[in-house]
Each structure stands twice: as structure tokens, then as C-alpha cells.
């Protein structure tokens, strides 16, 4: 995504719905979409849009409900160094699939 798009705001902008659906169908059919196809290179936002949709639709978020308060406390830490230490500590508590 970052190689083929304008990085500034690339994850905030949405792709074209029809391209997102086409890409989703390719994944759901069990294939590995060829992301170097012109249709995806011209609308690189459809790739990031699908990745965001996937994360939104997970039954348990990547940063799990159980650890939400710990993540919130960690990011509220005043100094950047201490904040990073606390975030790393909470990340280590994630279930293995979420951590990967």
C-alpha cells in the first residue's frame, strides 16, 4: 500500500466500493489476489479499506476487550518512554493470534 500510494492519509481515505467488493470476493473465494493488478494499483485505497473492514468485523478486536482498560492507561502515560514501555507490557498479554 505504501509503495503505490500517497502515504499521507492513505489509511484514512476510502477506496471505490466496487473495487473493495471485488477484492473481498477474491479473498473469500480462497485465492490470493494479485495486488499488482492495475485495478488495485490505481485504487490503492481499496486495499487499506478492506484491511480496515476486516479488523472492524473481527468478533474480538485485535486489541481485545479484556485489555482495553490497560491499553487506555498505557497510552495516557505522560512521557513517551514510559508510554512505550507500558504499551509493550500490555502487548505481551495479548493472545498469540492477536499478538502475531
Amino acid at each position: 500500500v505504501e509503495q503505490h500510494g500517497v502515504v499521507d492519509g492513505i489509511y484514512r481515505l476510502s477506496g471505490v466500493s466496487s473495487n473493495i467488493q471485488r477484492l473481498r470476493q477474491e479473498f473469500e473465494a480462497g485465492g490470493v489476489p494479485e495486488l499488482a493488478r492495475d485495478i488495485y494499483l490505481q485504487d490503492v485505497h481499496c486495499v487499506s479499506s478492506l484491511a480496515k473492514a476486516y479488523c472492524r468485523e473481527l468478533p474480538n478486536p485485535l486489541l481485545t476487550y479484556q485489555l482495553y482498560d490497560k491499553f487506555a492507561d498505557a497510552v495516557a502515560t505522560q512521557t513517551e518512554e514510559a508510554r512505550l514501555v507500558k504499551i509493550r507490557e500490555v502487548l505481551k498479554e495479548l493472545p498469540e493470534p492477536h499478538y502475531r
Side-chain angles (χ1 to χ4, degrees):
V1 170
E2 292 175 4
Q3 285 179 338
H4 300 286
V6 177
V7 176
D8 186 36
I10 196 165
Y11 297 102
R12 288 184 306 215
L13 299 173
S14 295
V16 176
S17 291
S18 59
N19 292 343
I20 297 168
Q21 291 307 315
R22 180 179 293 115
L23 188 57
R24 179 187 294 259
Q25 288 170 354
E26 289 184 42
F27 274 112
E28 290 176 351
V32 177
E34 178 54 53
L35 298 178
R37 288 177 47 200
D38 283 343
I39 191 166
Y40 301 133
L41 291 177
Q42 291 171 3
D43 180 24
V44 70
H45 300 293
C46 73
V47 176
S48 57
S49 292
L50 184 59
K52 291 187 296 186
Y54 174 81
C55 291
R56 272 194 309 271
E57 295 169 8
L58 288 171
N60 193 11
L62 289 177
L63 305 178
T64 65
Y65 293 123
Q66 294 80 5
L67 295 174
Y68 178 83
D69 290 334
K70 289 184 178 185
F71 276 113
D73 290 342
V75 275
T77 304
Q78 294 299 315
T79 67
E80 183 176 356
E81 186 175 331
R83 182 172 37 253
L84 291 175
V85 168
K86 287 189 175 193
I87 290 171
R88 285 187 189 110
E89 289 172 359
V90 181
L91 287 173
K92 291 177 184 175
E93 295 183 43
L94 285 169
E96 183 64 26
H98 293 248
Y99 185 82
R100 280 193 318 238

